[in-house]
Amino acid sequence: MSDAVTMEKIVSLCKRRGFIFQSSEIYGGLGSCWDYGPMGVELKRNVKNAWWRTMVEERGDVVGLDCSIMMHPTVWKASGHIDSFSDPLVECKECHQRWRADQLEKQACPACDGELTEARNFNLMFKTFMGAVEEDAAVVYLRPETAQGIFVNFQNVVSTSRKRLPLGIAQIGKSFRNEITPGNFTFRTREFEQMEMEFFVQPGSDEEWYEYWSGERFAWYKKLGIRSENLRMREHAKDELAHYAKACVDVEYLFPIGWSELEGIANRTDFDLKQHSSWSGKDLSYFDSATNERFIPYVIEPSAGADRSTLAFLVDAYTEEEVEGASRVVLKLHPALAPVKVAILPLSKNERLMPLARDVHDRVRKCFVTEYDDTQSIGRRYRRQDEIGTPLCVTVDFDSLEDGQVTIRDRDSLAQIRLPIDNLVETLRAKLSGEEFGSDSLWAGARA
Ligand code: GAP
């Protein structure tokens, strides 16, 4: 990452160009909650679609699921979240700010140097009440991970999908954690989206699959354009492991705040299925008819954050450049992630240009996500498209009326080519899936 990329610059671009806004801004905002604007919603959806495509659609051994956010409260007893999903909380006796004890470098308040209380365990799950009566029996939790919905549906999926092990079940959805110290924009929030996959395997083959998924997940970020020098893998030490894990490795990204977790790949062993089997009284074992063996599968779990990876893609793409004596900000996003793929820009608002420009737009929008913009000078419109990461701009000018040709401008190289309108869609498709953007199946054929 360039030294010049700060979180402030990313926050400012996100607000200026409609990627991410502070939640409830007109009321002063709500801490650590963020809303995705018109560009942000497309970008994040493209990240989720790219994950789903790689993890489910391009494979024969992973199927999808979409579970409810609220689940039977015993799920969280069985999973261990009620007893141990907590962080050590301390409070300043002077200014009453709260901190995570395990993240403090000294035993005094970082804000005012005041004395801190003894640490107590603070459970991170949000509680609410189901139904009209607010009583203990009606307490339910907002899920802190999507994974548990997958474990409790394991038998449903196996018996209906006609799949054999090894088998993955993937899910994308909201999770909630009452983090003590959220912050750094969308990096750590109390409401966020996860992209999780639980891969069920025969015990004994788990270590091999753990290696496999660690490699696959690292490669996914690189395939979508994250620079190698900003990515690394970090294996967890034994004393860092979650209560359910035999091994865990993080894919880390060099954010402006330093190297931080993007995604974790964990070997969860048979912990979760055994726990749910014992608390529910239901048999969650698997019978392998090929070997005549019955066993509780082991689970390898790649668990990524949709918001956190969207932030990483934004940071990695953010570039400040000098071009012909002028400076520009450009988001060099992979075309599969770019919110808008092609912008149609008539040179001016002149009414002679309108019918042809509209006709060109109609042809292109059938195949790609487009934006039509005829306001302001062409320079300002290019600047806006650069800042939202649009890979290609098509300009329609007065010569187009005579020769039936338009100009394509490439976001990264700034190269321009002029070509007949009849060849436009095919050329755009070739350029968007071509070598200059790293050709791969994520983009090929995608209308996105
Ligand atoms: N099921 C395993 C699990 O939930 P985790 O490491 O706690 O593991 C997985 O979370 C991913 O979810 C993280 O790598 C991160 O990308 C994302 N994530 C976790 N807490 C988050 C938060 N408070 N805000 C944003 N993303 C978060």
Side-chain angles (χ1 to χ4, degrees):
M1 185 196 64
S2 139
D3 289 343
V5 185
T6 61
M7 206 62 112
E8 289 70 30
K9 286 183 178 176
I10 300 294
V11 174
S12 158
L13 174 83
C14 283
K15 178 155 169 67
R16 186 166 78 242
R17 295 302 184 191
F19 281 90
I20 303 175
F21 308 122
Q22 171 75 69
S23 160
S24 321
E25 194 178 350
I26 61 169
Y27 288 101
L30 180 65
S32 98
C33 292
W34 301 95
D35 298 340
Y36 287 80
M39 291 302 125
V41 75
E42 296 293 340
L43 172 62
K44 188 167 136 182
R45 205 168 43 153
N46 291 340
V47 170
K48 291 187 284 182
N49 286 347
W51 186 89
W52 195 262
R53 178 128 190 84
T54 303
M55 300 295 281
V56 182
E57 291 171 0
E58 288 183 349
R59 307 185 60 97
D61 56 359
V62 180
V63 293
L65 193 68
D66 185 9
C67 305
S68 66
I69 285 170
M70 290 179 291
M71 302 174 71
H72 193 289
T74 310
V75 167
W76 308 112
K77 194 75 197 151
S79 67
H81 283 84
I82 287 181
D83 294 330
S84 48
F85 192 58
S86 53
D87 282 333
L89 176 140
V90 288
E91 187 173 329
C92 174
K93 291 181 182 170
E94 307 294 325
C95 72
H96 299 288
Q97 278 208 60
R98 292 172 161 198
W99 307 95
R100 260 180 72 172
D102 57 333
Q103 290 179 340
L104 294 180
E105 279 165 14
K106 53 185 183 132
Q107 294 304 311
C109 173
C112 75
D113 227 23
E115 194 188 338
L116 299 171
T117 60
E118 284 292 302
R120 71 180 168 89
N121 280 338
F122 175 76
N123 193 289
L124 301 185
M125 280 198 295
F126 277 96
K127 269 185 202 173
T128 188
F129 299 95
M130 186 168 255
V133 190
E134 294 195 2
E135 58 184 16
D136 284 353
V139 166
V140 288
Y141 301 91
L142 304 187
R143 66 181 178 199
E145 61 173 12
T146 66
Q148 297 304 323
I150 297 177
F151 296 128
V152 302
N153 276 294
F154 172 67
Q155 286 296 16
N156 284 337
V157 174
V158 167
S159 61
T160 55
S161 64
R162 301 165 58 82
K163 299 271 187 192
R164 302 168 55 80
L165 259 53
L167 173 65
I169 306 179
Q171 169 160 230
I172 299 178
K174 289 258 178 168
S175 291
F176 302 81
R177 296 180 189 178
N178 202 358
E179 300 278 2
I180 297 170
T181 47
N184 292 315
F185 198 29
T186 54
F187 179 83
R188 190 179 306 285
T189 52
R190 294 191 170 111
E191 172 182 343
F192 54 95
E193 255 181 298
Q194 288 187 308
M195 307 184 289
E196 296 200 294
M197 196 273 284
E198 310 300 321
F199 198 72
F200 299 88
V201 304
Q202 180 156 25
S205 68
D206 51 306
E207 291 183 9
E208 206 177 303
W209 282 111
Y210 173 73
E211 291 303 321
Y212 170 82
W213 280 112
S214 304
E216 287 293 294
R217 294 306 306 145
F218 191 77
W220 186 77
Y221 292 99
K222 289 216 312 198
K223 190 165 70 162
L224 284 168
I226 300 250
R227 281 167 280 177
S228 305
E229 65 267 29
N230 295 334
L231 273 183
R232 72 177 188 194
M233 298 293 261
R234 191 184 69 80
E235 195 80 38
H236 282 214
K238 285 274 173 265
D239 61 359
E240 260 184 288
L241 292 174
H243 59 279
Y244 50 74
K246 169 174 158 184
C248 185
V249 61
D250 286 344
V251 180
E252 291 191 336
Y253 178 71
L254 186 52
F255 283 98
I257 53 172
W259 284 104
S260 309
E261 175 187 343
L262 254 187
E263 161 163 3
I265 298 102
N267 183 341
R268 292 184 78 127
T269 70
D270 54 5
F271 175 86
D272 302 272
L273 287 182
K274 269 193 173 152
Q275 284 293 104
H276 288 302
S277 197
S278 128
W279 281 82
S280 67
K282 301 282 186 309
D283 179 10
L284 299 182
S285 64
Y286 172 82
F287 180 70
D288 188 339
S289 53
T291 59
N292 259 340
E293 275 181 295
R294 181 170 285 285
F295 54 85
I296 304 264
Y298 266 45
V299 174
I300 308 303
E301 174 196 68
S303 171
D307 307 88
R308 208 175 273 186
S309 42
T310 299
L311 182 60
F313 285 119
L314 273 170
V315 169
D316 215 73
Y318 184 95
T319 313
E320 289 174 355
E321 289 179 342
E322 287 289 321
V323 179
E324 292 159 6
S327 61
R328 71 164 182 163
V329 169
V330 52
L331 279 188
K332 295 190 172 177
L333 289 167
H334 188 290
L337 301 183
V340 175
K341 313 303 180 194
V342 184
I344 310 296
L345 311 174
L347 194 64
S348 82
K349 250 184 167 163
N350 187 298
E351 63 186 29
R352 282 177 54 222
L353 280 182
M354 280 310 112
L356 183 63
R358 290 277 175 207
D359 175 54
V360 169
H361 185 219
D362 285 345
R363 291 186 191 208
V364 176
R365 80 195 310 182
K366 287 196 183 88
C367 307
F368 311 103
V369 176
T370 59
E371 218 175 64
Y372 182 92
D373 187 1
D374 61 5
T375 59
Q376 302 181 313
S377 71
I378 190 78
R380 288 176 81 115
R381 283 181 278 158
Y382 278 147
R383 224 179 100 185
R384 172 182 150 74
Q385 296 303 331
D386 286 344
E387 290 199 3
I388 63 172
T390 305
L392 300 169
C393 290
V394 174
T395 45
V396 181
D397 57 26
F398 289 99
D399 287 344
S400 309
L401 299 173
E402 309 301 326
D403 62 10
Q405 300 206 14
V406 288
T407 304
I408 301 179
R409 170 200 186 253
D410 181 294
R411 175 196 70 196
D412 297 346
S413 68
L414 294 175
Q416 303 205 2
I417 53 166
R418 201 157 167 85
L419 77 169
I421 291 168
D422 284 344
N423 300 346
L424 180 60
V425 166
E426 280 324 301
T427 307
L428 291 171
R429 198 185 305 283
K431 282 188 84 58
L432 287 166
S433 59
E435 281 303 312
E436 61 260 56
F437 292 119
S439 168
D440 62 53
S441 60
L442 276 170
W443 174 244
R447 273 197 68 219

